[in-house]
Amino acid sequence: MALAKLMNTVQTEDNMVKGQNVRQTGKYSYIDTKHEGIKEVVGGLGGFLVFLDYGRKQKINKKTGKLEYKQDKSLKRVDTLKEAKALRRQAEEVRLGTVAKAPSKVYFDRMVEDYMQSAEWKDSTQSAKDHHKNYFRHMCDYFVNRQPKDITKLDIEDYFQWQLERGSRSTAKKNKDGSVSKKEGISVNTLGKHKCALKKLWQFMVDSKKYGVTENIVPSARLPKVEVSIDGKKKKTSKIEYHPRSLTLDELNYTLNDALQNEFDRSVAVMIALASIGSLRHSETLGLRLGKFMHDEYMAVTDAALKEGGFDRRYYEEHDNLMLIDTAIVHIGSEDVEKLPKGDKVRISAVPECLKKIVEYAMEQRREIYDIVGRTVDSGENVYVPLINIIDNRPLNSQKMGRKWKEYQVRRNKRMVKAGLEPIPLVRYHDLRHTHSNLSKYIIQWQVSYNMGHKVVVPDMDNTTTREYWNDRCPERGDIIEYFDTHIKIDWDKALRQPINREGSVLKVNGSGHLVVSAAEKERRKKKGRKFIFKEEELEELFLKQDNE
């Protein structure tokens, strides 16, 4: 099969074949046939010329750099009429959009770039984009210089296996102790996420009809299995189940009392309580404003937010045991961004009296600092603000709260060991939300689901009434409030209520919002050769330290 260059067709003078005038295009002489777009070649190799029209396609104008619609046409020579008819039929199907035309050369990485211009990609959350870009990087490294249409199901399964075993290969980077960095191998659970990303890519190619891919082969590709042992009994699995560990009621009560009695920064207790008692996610704890928590002169709730959640303003204003969750702060790229909570759901959550007291306890410290530096409380401020941020008037950093929670747990457990107690296993910050859910599991389900922003599913009642008619217009959270106010036990007489600028303290805050170290502490540090660079935790300890200690 030869590809002819499209040229102007010229009629040859005084040349007749089968009673027809012979025409010329390039090096081929031809006459018409009864089949549209097919011409019979006269002389030379003979055969047939096929004029192919694939329809209008977007192409970049090299002069202007703009995308323009151009006709995608070509001319081919074949040996038989049967071949010519088949090519015409295929071109017509491509033009009508019923079958894909495979481009001559499109490699995997270029296809991924095309996918990241699609509407599906643009509609994805930034978090999903960040994760998928990481997956795509691994895929592009593996399928380098490969055309998607040539990749088989076995190739995809080989990719899974290669990623799983990468850490055990001789090329894997070794640590000083000979171990392999975690990044060198991908867990089987993460491979499941890679498979989901590959499914999207293959479906994109099938729908696009431009990569020569007509079937999504990824779902049938099998993930490798790993061997796990349970008490000596072994099994193979392609997904290792993760079971979050929430705190028990006793562990939560101990943790809250420990924070209130030992942490000078009172925001630590607020951080714990908003997730475990208030049911807030990490991003929602960061996004909660005083105006959405308070029911006094600071209350600032917009009609737009209430309308989005379908809530009654009067009911909300009359119930001071509710808070509006309408903002989440997430880290995107290199900055913190405000958005709606997960699933774009605005909700109202319960505020038990024990949670109110913890927030008020932290607000006492904030007001004390504001009195020193001459600032006033504003309804737009965050409920959770670390002590150093309050002093410096510095905005929150969303990436620090998870670290603060982990560092607090380490300090708590050191105190427990010192007291002869068994330390509490470390958990993620999100597991405090799991704690709220597990402690609430004996409360009527729909109340807990509304409170946490989950879909309400009532067993044996999946019908139009529950799906369409039920609403949370006047939020009822009484059972949740009663449970936590009954079961959270805090010894407020032991709470650490030390003032900011205590007499004789080695660290104080001046009227400009600067930290001032006492002369005696400076002298001690000079003698010991210690630097005047403090970690946040050390600063909090210095507030409690006296010059005579």
Side-chain angles (χ1 to χ4, degrees), residues 236-496:
K236 287 189 174 183
T237 180
S238 57
K239 182 178 181 181
I240 299 173
E241 294 295 333
Y242 172 70
H243 301 286
R245 188 199 185 280
S246 57
L247 300 181
T248 65
L249 180 60
D250 288 342
E251 290 171 340
L252 176 58
N253 272 320
Y254 186 94
T255 297
L256 287 168
N257 279 281
D258 175 83
L260 291 166
Q261 294 171 22
N262 296 287
E263 298 292 320
F264 184 74
D265 182 356
R266 301 185 187 183
S267 72
V268 173
V270 173
M271 170 182 68
I272 298 166
L274 285 176
S276 59
I277 301 175
S279 81
L280 271 60
R281 300 179 175 93
H282 181 284
S283 60
E284 295 165 351
T285 297
L286 293 167
L288 183 63
R289 301 292 197 272
L290 289 174
K292 309 298 172 66
F293 183 88
M294 303 293 193
H295 280 257
D296 50 20
E297 69 272 19
Y298 297 113
M299 186 170 73
V301 177
T302 65
D303 289 334
L306 290 170
K307 183 179 179 181
E308 176 66 25
F311 304 117
D312 182 83
R313 170 175 280 280
R314 184 175 178 179
Y315 184 92
Y316 180 82
E317 290 176 345
E318 291 176 350
H319 291 76
D320 65 354
N321 52 13
L322 302 173
M323 58 179 166
L324 182 67
I325 312 302
D326 68 344
T327 305
I329 294 180
V330 295
H331 193 76
I332 299 176
S334 59
E335 61 181 357
D336 288 341
V337 177
E338 287 190 15
K339 59 189 288 294
L340 289 171
K342 184 177 181 180
D344 295 335
K345 288 183 178 180
V346 174
R347 75 177 189 278
I348 285 178
S349 293
V351 182
E353 193 64 29
C354 56
L355 177 55
K356 283 187 194 177
K357 287 183 178 180
I358 292 172
V359 171
E360 180 53 36
Y361 169 75
M363 288 301 297
E364 288 174 6
Q365 190 176 62
R366 189 182 307 194
R367 291 190 188 98
E368 184 183 357
I369 295 170
Y370 282 7
D371 288 343
I372 296 170
V373 300
R375 297 203 303 267
T376 57
V377 176
D378 184 85
S379 61
E381 294 179 28
N382 297 80
V383 174
Y384 164 74
V385 185
L387 176 62
I388 194 66
N389 293 69
I390 297 173
I391 295 171
D392 290 349
N393 197 20
R394 186 195 312 167
L396 285 172
N397 183 332
S398 68
Q399 295 182 298
K400 284 190 174 182
M401 191 175 75
R403 174 174 61 81
K404 282 183 173 292
W405 163 238
K406 185 176 181 180
E407 290 171 349
Y408 161 71
Q409 291 180 92
V410 172
R411 294 195 298 273
R412 176 202 61 195
N413 284 357
K414 284 181 180 179
R415 291 190 283 265
M416 294 184 77
V417 171
K418 189 175 181 179
L421 300 173
E422 184 72 23
I424 300 171
L426 303 188
V427 299
R428 307 168 305 166
Y429 184 75
H430 188 72
D431 291 331
L432 292 176
R433 181 169 150 90
H434 282 263
T435 298
H436 175 93
S437 178
N438 278 286
L439 293 179
S440 306
K441 62 188 176 186
Y442 299 110
I443 297 170
I444 189 167
Q445 183 183 353
W446 62 262
Q447 194 174 137
V448 178
S449 295
Y450 278 134
N451 192 67
M452 299 190 70
H454 292 157
K455 182 180 179 181
V456 175
V457 179
V458 181
D460 303 321
M461 286 185 63
D462 184 20
N463 53 42
T464 303
T465 302
T466 59
R467 288 195 307 270
E468 305 294 337
Y469 285 31
W470 279 17
N471 63 64
D472 199 31
R473 181 174 176 78
C474 298
E476 171 53 51
R477 305 288 186 266
D479 293 342
I480 296 172
I481 292 168
E482 181 182 2
Y483 175 85
F484 282 97
D485 279 337
T486 302
H487 291 81
I488 296 298
K489 307 293 184 182
I490 294 175
D491 190 345
W492 284 105
D493 291 336
K494 294 182 179 179
L496 186 64

